[in-house]
Amino acid sequence: MAHIRKDSSKPTTTISLDPVLLSAIEDYRFTKRKDNRSAAIADLIQKGLRYAELVEKKKARMSV
């Protein structure tokens, strides 16, 4: 379960990233002009989840 900081209403979590992935996230952040790393990571996660959902829907259609 994520921790909710006293100074924020948003839950937080800690993740570890390898340097190559962190560099790619930083590149994305600056290319897309995100305010901070958290915003960039949240955006990438949302895009990844949408993509995964589309892939699952496509698999379901193909198996009919």
Side-chain angles (χ1 to χ4, degrees):
M1 174 165 256
H3 172 71
I4 299 178
R5 297 183 337 207
K6 292 178 181 165
D7 63 342
S8 176
S9 63
K10 295 180 181 180
T12 62
T13 190
T14 302
I15 59 172
S16 299
L17 303 169
D18 65 61
V20 174
L21 182 55
L22 182 58
S23 178
I25 290 169
E26 288 295 305
D27 290 346
Y28 177 84
R29 174 187 170 197
F30 290 109
T31 299
K32 300 296 183 181
R33 298 178 183 215
K34 297 295 179 182
D35 291 337
N36 53 52
R37 191 181 291 160
S38 291
I41 291 170
D43 190 46
L44 289 165
I45 290 170
Q46 288 173 344
K47 289 175 187 279
L49 290 171
R50 278 189 294 228
Y51 177 78
E53 183 180 336
L54 290 172
V55 168
E56 289 302 315
K57 285 180 181 179
K58 184 175 181 177
K59 283 182 186 178
R61 283 194 314 264
M62 300 295 280
S63 65
V64 174

